Amino acid sequence: MTRIAVIGAGPGGLYFAALAKQSDPSREITVFEREAREAESGFGVVFSDETLDGIAQADPRVFAAIGAEFARWSDIDVRYAGQVRTSGGHGFAALDRNRLRAILQERCAELAVDVRYRTPAPPVDQLTDAYDLVVAADGIHSATRAAFADVFRPELDERHSRYIWLATDLPLEAFTFIVERFDFGTVQVHAYPYSAARSTFIVELAEADWRRAGFEALAAREFARGESDTASVGRCAELLAAHLGDHRLIPDASRWIRFTTVRNARWHHRNLVLLGDAAHSAHFSIGSGTKLALEDALALAAALGEQPTLEGALAAYEAERRPVVESTQRAAQASLEWFETVGRRTGQGADQFAFNLLTRSRRVTYGNLRERDPAFVDAVDTAVGGSPGVAPMFRPLKLGALELRNRIVAPPLATFTSPDALPSAFDRAQLTGLALGGAALVIAGMTAVSPEGRATDHCPGLWSDRQEAAWRELLAAVRSVSDTPIGLQLTHAGRRAATAPPGPDGVGLPLPRDDGWPTIAPSPLPWAPGYPAPRAATSDQLAAVTCDFAEAAERAARAGFDALELQFGHGHLLSSFLSPLTNRRTDRYGGPLAHRLRLPLEVLTAVRAVWPAGRPLLVRVSASDWAPGGTTEAEAVAACRAFGEAGADAVDVSTGEVVAHQRPPYGRGYQTPFAELVRAATGLPTVAVGAISGHDDANSVLLAGRADLVAVGRAHLYDPLWTLHAAAEQGYRGPAAPWPQPWAAGSRKPPGPGADRVAPRLHLLRATAPPVHRRWHPGAPAPSAPTPPAAPTPPEE
């Protein structure tokens, strides 16, 4: 490959051109850029230490040039409710975007890259005919991507919040988040220094707040290319005067825009490849644009040198970069949604709010914040009533009249080992193991209130005296070795009933006609193609379901369960009444939410009447159907509020499994924002559940105030002693995680290979640990190396 064309002379395009030419000087590389060489745009860019390490290895001359001009600091300031909270140990390096571009321009000139300014790229099909490789680095509004939309299949997710990109002549000392509440709503700022004289200053508002603040009227005209919305800039300066002092806001073609997340099904086609924002974007609140573009450039240049064919190189580039980008986009999406809904958290105290903000993307956690700045985490612990040094998961909680010694729940884990509908020997073994494992509450799972309510033909039930006696005997056996409270989940599976136990894919297929039984649902809609259609339940059948739940609850109380959970989620019968996707009725049980709530509330009211006062009664809900036209956030909140008013002590907030065509954004803690939503809107205690498997994530959820309890599901299947092992790993040996006496000798983590080795001293001078707090002071000596361990990906552009 000898001829390469690059569309766009932004940092990503220039850096790729320089690296590709450096690795093979015989290449003829042409960069097309419609703007002038001297044209300036944008403000600062921020780099993570990880990206800087890559630049240092790939092109030391570029690294030396940009490193000489960095602004460096390690603190993050959170200005909120008239107070400032500072977290240190993060490690940032920032640079004027125009200086970065100039440095890359100079490097391309040194390497004899042909960069053609004021020269729009020829049509892409002409370039692909004339060049061996065409690299489209033409930005978030890529014309190249649009021209081949049928191949790249872009997905453009435009969000609702409005933001305006500015600078200020106030050189801030740290990365600064400002969150100010006004009568019209909340204004938030993402700001950081990038030179001795300036800082980037991004102002963001939710759409409704933006309108109420008067910005819609100020921005209600067409702006010429390069023109700024100076009226809005002035309004921002007025609102944020307390933070700016005598300093000004500086626009650069600045106007209100919405952020668009770009995703593409493919990044390359024949000899054409996308790079940077043309291929992907991620919200500015965690930093991504320039960082990802430079990393793309490095990976593409490397792949061209490593692979023998162009197709192989482009495939290797995409295979290497896509997982990295998708991971960044997941974190960015969580951060974006946090800022879109910041109003949910503005009732928190300054310490907890700052912690919540810093852990919003799930990349920064309780554990690594404690590693970076233990004093900051101790202050948050103290502010929320905890004890410094004691992880949030080991704090007690009173639920109803039940005292829980910690905040970990072992949720319902179906075993599918009960062909006779009785709790099995495996159920007994599993519940005993979980009760010994340290969780504060263990809940036995998926117990049907009637024979036709079983999800599978191997699920237990609680509709007969024999079943009640079996459960009582099981509880007695568990309590002979553990005092851990045991709860029970009651359900009627509705249209999800009459299936075989799920296979490795988690899906239970319908039982053969002769082995199954008729199912009921609000409407005769099958779960999925190939499943039998349920019958639309009659009023008499619904009344019977209510009685079945109440009678099962009475049996559970007599059997001795300490808590009860009603399954109103996951597409089971009560869940299918709540969702507009599955409830098409026109009678008093269908239509508006108040009608769709009728049966769940009738069941809850009947159960509350017979369930002993003081014993916790929980409701599990699916707060989102993850499908168009499904349950909205407002409906989920209204439903949970109604459940609280009807007597629920807590809500176990799950999502999905309501319809087979759902599309959940699976990932660590992806359901937790719904627990936070319900908790903030209703005041009810919530349980966060779903893809929470590490104690660090559990601690983050709890200390941020996103939930009151954390349910750890699959990780308890992997390790029934999950809570005790989490205590050992964190060095906790208190009453919140007592080891069973016969196992006390195992309460410390066993030493591994090399644990007895003592390392010799090999340095004449001891290395000085970098300071936890470092502020940006122009003119101060720059540190010789990047700061602290495990730095997060910072906000970048």
Side-chain angles (χ1 to χ4, degrees):
M1 177 193 327
T2 58
R3 304 189 75 230
I4 300 175
V6 180
I7 305 173
L14 291 173
Y15 188 49
F16 166 76
L19 292 177
K21 185 71 171 179
Q22 175 183 286
S23 61
D24 185 351
S26 69
R27 287 172 175 152
E28 177 189 323
I29 301 178
T30 305
V31 181
F32 296 92
E33 171 56 52
R34 66 181 182 180
E35 302 292 344
R37 177 188 175 94
E38 63 277 6
E40 294 191 352
S41 64
F43 302 112
V45 292
V46 180
F47 295 94
S48 66
D49 290 341
E50 182 180 59
T51 304
L52 291 177
D53 287 344
I55 295 173
Q57 294 176 29
D59 194 329
R61 295 185 65 171
V62 168
F63 177 77
I66 63 177
E69 301 189 31
F70 275 147
R72 281 194 180 275
W73 71 95
S74 67
D75 281 354
I76 298 176
D77 289 346
V78 179
R79 301 185 187 182
Y80 162 77
Q83 303 177 65
V84 180
R85 294 294 183 268
T86 299
S87 171
H90 296 275
F92 295 93
L95 180 69
D96 186 323
R97 185 180 188 275
N98 294 300
R99 281 297 303 139
L100 172 62
R101 196 163 57 92
I103 289 168
L104 293 172
Q105 287 172 340
E106 292 166 7
R107 185 61 173 144
C108 284
E110 291 172 1
L111 294 166
V113 173
D114 181 9
V115 183
R116 301 179 184 179
Y117 291 98
R118 300 182 187 271
T119 307
V124 179
D125 55 354
Q126 293 182 22
L127 288 176
T128 54
D129 286 342
Y131 289 85
D132 300 305
L133 171 64
V134 178
V135 178
D138 50 346
I140 200 164
H141 301 296
S142 170
T144 309
R145 183 184 65 227
F148 287 84
D150 58 329
V151 175
F152 296 125
R153 302 196 304 280
E155 175 188 326
L156 307 179
D157 179 16
E158 185 179 59
R159 304 303 297 189
H160 307 293
S161 291
R162 304 276 186 148
Y163 70 98
I164 188 168
W165 211 294
L166 304 164
T168 176
D169 57 1
L170 169 63
L172 294 164
E173 295 183 0
F175 200 100
T176 303
F177 291 102
I178 301 171
V179 179
E180 284 282 6
R181 289 174 287 180
F182 296 91
D183 55 358
F184 57 78
T186 303
V187 175
Q188 53 207 18
V189 175
H190 314 250
Y192 55 86
Y194 65 85
S195 74
R198 289 191 177 185
S199 302
T200 295
F201 202 88
I202 308 167
V203 183
E204 183 179 26
L205 292 89
E207 177 85 9
D209 296 349
W210 180 80
R211 294 179 188 279
R212 286 191 293 264
F215 286 114
E216 181 179 26
L218 297 178
R221 69 177 181 84
E222 290 293 325
F223 293 93
R225 188 169 183 268
E227 182 185 5
S228 293
D229 180 356
T230 54
S232 288
V233 175
R235 174 74 167 138
C236 289
E238 173 191 335
L239 292 170
L240 297 162
H243 300 279
L244 292 168
D246 295 331
H247 296 274
R248 62 193 176 96
L249 292 179
I250 303 167
D252 178 11
S254 302
R255 63 196 68 176
W256 294 105
I257 53 178
R258 296 186 179 99
F259 187 81
T260 298
T261 300
V262 175
R263 300 178 179 90
N264 283 281
R266 287 176 57 92
W267 293 2
H268 72 280
H269 172 60
R270 297 177 182 167
N271 64 334
L272 173 64
V273 64
L274 303 179
L275 184 147
D277 282 350
H280 47 70
S281 67
H283 194 250
F284 55 81
S285 61
I286 72 159
S288 54
T290 301
K291 167 187 162 16
L292 290 177
L294 295 184
E295 291 174 355
D296 281 357
L298 192 155
L300 178 57
L304 292 175
E306 293 168 352
Q307 301 297 323
T309 66
L310 176 61
E311 175 56 34
L314 299 186
Y317 156 71
E318 184 169 342
E320 177 182 333
R321 290 296 297 156
R322 185 177 285 278
V324 177
V325 168
E326 289 177 349
S327 173
T328 300
Q329 287 184 319
R330 285 192 295 271
Q333 188 72 12
S335 181
L336 175 158
E337 292 174 1
W338 193 96
F339 282 109
E340 282 184 336
T341 59
V342 69
R344 295 177 187 171
R345 305 161 189 93
T346 51
Q348 292 186 324
D351 296 275
Q352 189 174 47
F353 181 87
F355 180 87
N356 200 330
L357 185 153
L358 292 173
T359 57
R360 68 196 179 278
S361 73
R362 307 180 197 127
R363 282 192 167 186
V364 178
T365 62
Y366 175 87
N368 55 42
L369 273 180
R370 176 168 287 286
E371 181 181 354
R372 298 169 194 189
D373 189 351
F376 170 79
V377 177
D378 283 346
V380 182
D381 278 330
T382 301
V384 299
S387 301
V390 176
M393 63 180 284
F394 298 120
R395 294 177 192 148
L397 178 71
K398 189 172 184 179
L399 195 61
L402 185 63
E403 299 281 353
L404 300 179
R405 59 181 168 235
N406 63 54
R407 301 297 183 98
I408 302 302
V409 175
L413 300 169
T415 65
F416 306 108
T417 56
S418 303
D420 53 4
L422 294 171
S424 66
F426 197 95
D427 286 320
R428 176 180 298 193
Q430 175 170 280
L431 290 173
T432 302
L434 293 172
L436 290 169
L441 175 64
V442 175
I443 303 178
M446 213 149 76
T447 303
V449 299
S450 63
E452 61 275 11
R454 288 175 297 157
T456 78
D457 58 354
H458 280 63
C459 287
L462 188 49
W463 63 78
S464 71
D465 291 345
R466 186 182 176 201
Q467 290 165 334
E468 181 183 326
W471 282 114
R472 184 183 299 110
E473 180 186 353
L474 183 152
L475 287 176
V478 174
R479 290 190 174 123
S480 69
V481 295
S482 171
D483 63 353
T484 298
I486 307 296
L488 182 72
Q489 184 191 74
L490 294 177
T491 190
H492 187 300
R495 68 175 188 161
R496 300 200 65 180
T499 68
D505 60 357
V507 176
L509 298 176
L511 290 169
R513 180 174 299 179
D514 293 342
D515 297 331
W517 55 88
T519 60
I520 61 170
S523 304
L525 304 172
W527 163 250
Y531 285 70
R535 298 174 181 173
T538 66
S539 296
D540 288 345
Q541 287 175 317
L542 298 183
V545 166
T546 300
C547 290
D548 289 340
F549 269 94
E551 290 175 5
E554 288 185 285
R555 292 184 182 279
R558 291 195 299 263
F561 283 101
D562 301 293
L564 193 68
E565 178 173 277
L566 304 180
Q567 173 60 289
F568 285 6
H570 292 179
H572 287 219
L573 182 64
L574 282 305
S575 170
S576 61
F577 270 85
L578 289 169
S579 173
L581 295 177
T582 50
N583 186 341
R584 306 287 178 81
R585 298 173 76 99
T586 57
D587 63 2
R588 62 196 298 266
Y589 290 102
L593 179 63
H595 290 188
R596 304 199 309 270
L597 269 168
R598 195 182 303 276
L599 180 63
L601 286 175
E602 287 175 354
V603 168
L604 177 56
T605 300
V607 169
R608 183 73 274 180
V610 300
W611 182 247
R615 296 195 206 179
L617 178 58
L618 295 83
V619 173
R620 172 170 279 206
V621 300
S622 285
S624 172
D625 299 336
W626 299 122
T631 300
T632 66
E633 288 188 355
E635 288 177 326
V637 166
C640 291
R641 185 178 289 116
F643 298 150
E645 292 169 353
D649 295 298
V651 184
D652 188 347
V653 186
S654 186
T655 64
E657 299 187 46
V658 176
V659 291
H661 60 277
Q662 65 175 4
R663 292 186 62 191
Y666 293 117
R668 281 173 45 237
Y670 73 102
Q671 297 180 145
T672 299
F674 293 94
E676 184 177 27
L677 166 67
V678 171
R679 186 177 190 267
T682 69
L684 286 168
T686 60
V687 185
V689 62
I692 302 173
S693 58
H695 58 75
D696 199 13
D697 286 335
N699 285 324
S700 299
V701 167
L702 294 165
L703 189 56
R706 298 181 182 117
D708 301 273
L709 293 160
V710 172
V712 178
R714 292 191 180 186
H716 267 121
L717 296 176
Y718 177 77
D719 177 10
L721 306 188
W722 185 91
T723 305
L724 294 182
H725 289 156
E729 289 171 8
Q730 295 174 85
Y732 177 81
R733 296 179 64 82
W739 278 75
Q741 186 55 42
W743 291 349
S747 62
R748 294 183 185 276
K749 189 173 182 178
D756 58 347
R757 179 181 182 273
V758 178
R761 176 169 177 163
L762 299 174
H763 300 281
L764 181 61
L765 299 176
R766 293 186 184 277
T768 302
V772 171
H773 296 289
R774 189 172 74 245
R775 317 287 284 181
W776 166 237
H777 296 293
S784 57
T787 322
T793 301
E796 186 165 87
E797 291 188 335

